[in-house]
Amino acid sequence: MELLGKNYLKVEALSKRFGDVCILSDISFSVAKGEFVCIVGSSGCGKSTLLRSLSGLDTAYEGRITVDDQEVKKPTKHIGYIFQENRLFPWMTVEENVGFSLDSGTREEKRRKVSEAVAMVGLKEAVRQYPKTLSGGMAQRANIARTLVNKPEVLLLDEPFGALDAFTKINLQEKLCEIRSAEKTTMIMVTHDIEEAIYLADRIIILDKNPGVIKKIIKVDLPRPRDRNGNYFNDLRKEIYGYFFETKEIVEDYNI
Ligand SMILES: Nc1ncnc2c1ncn2[C@@H]1O[C@H](COP(=O)(O)OP(=O)(O)OP(=O)(O)O)[C@@H](O)[C@H]1O
Ligand SMILES: [Mg+2]
């Protein structure tokens, strides 16, 4: 896919403290329109904190975040956010959950948008079901549909498949690839799973901990669909594991 507008989403010198503790320090990177970026890093390094800032939910930081040259100061429908934890309303069916965040349009338009979003994640058969009757993978698909229904230009995903078994996870990774190529959505996804990052991302941002700084940005130069057992894939996996177990060395040349 040709990536247009390399600076579509820009994070400039972002630093974030909670009280006296510096969680994120001097984070700068940019994302092209339509690009898929994965953020990996150990637990507590500030991945969710970074994503919350990108979503506009948290603006108490130093630095600047822009999308299409507009500063992100509050949540908007252009930036979809799939939270780390499932936020489906238990008293609503799948279709009611998915339709909940739609505030404009006629009844008919809303119904069409909901059914498109539900079809995109392959959940048509379950629209009348309540969350407690869904499997983990189905619930996560409903969660994704709920965000997709507003056709966001940027989709932020916080470990969306973290709690799922390997088969369901692979299935949903494929779904995400389909959605991305159909909708041309710019995606930024946090994951603990290095293989998942290599499978999905155009670039992988590796975050270090205490404070959270960018340790390295790696370009994944592999055609899609990707072979999880290919040589390049395996070499990249080894390289990335290496960053988590080597001595701390901050790589300076991460700005693109
Ligand atoms: N509201 C808050 N008040 C104080 N400290 C916070 C708050 N939210 C997060 N933190 C701290 O900031 C650090 C980063 O948290 P964050 O949730 O961003 O980590 P993470 O990389 O997403 O971890 P995980 O992989 O476990 O989800 C942690 O030390 C956490 O305790
Ligand atoms: Mg987190």
Side-chain angles (χ1 to χ4, degrees), residues 110-211:
K110 285 184 179 174
R111 193 170 297 146
R112 184 180 47 78
K113 285 181 181 175
V114 169
S115 95
E116 265 176 30
V118 166
M120 241 185 262
V121 297
L123 213 54
K124 262 181 165 163
E125 315 303 319
V127 285
R128 303 256 144 71
Q129 285 183 230
Y130 286 88
K132 69 172 183 206
T133 71
L134 303 174
S135 71
M138 289 163 89
Q140 196 50 295
R141 280 187 275 165
N143 225 359
I144 294 172
R146 198 162 69 150
T147 307
L148 288 178
V149 76
N150 283 308
K151 301 247 174 201
E153 281 153 34
V154 178
L155 185 57
L156 307 171
L157 306 106
D158 195 349
E159 299 196 43
F161 313 141
L164 303 176
D165 68 272
F167 302 108
T168 311
K169 191 189 253 202
I170 286 175
N171 190 289
L172 288 187
Q173 288 168 356
E174 297 301 338
K175 263 283 165 267
L176 209 55
C177 290
E178 280 170 28
I179 291 165
R180 184 215 180 191
S181 66
E183 302 292 315
K184 313 278 181 270
T185 317
T186 305
M187 298 200 183
I188 302 181
M189 172 167 160
V190 165
T191 176
H192 274 126
D193 183 338
I194 291 171
E195 189 171 304
E196 176 168 84
I198 303 171
Y199 189 75
L200 293 174
D202 297 308
R203 280 185 306 147
I204 300 172
I205 297 178
I206 300 175
L207 281 189
D208 209 350
K209 199 175 172 179
N210 297 328

Side-chain angles (χ1 to χ4, degrees), residues 18 23 42-49 84 159 192:
F18 283 118
I23 303 296
S42 58
S43 184
C45 74
K47 302 180 297 298
S48 297
T49 305
Q84 190 163 2
E159 299 196 43
H192 274 126

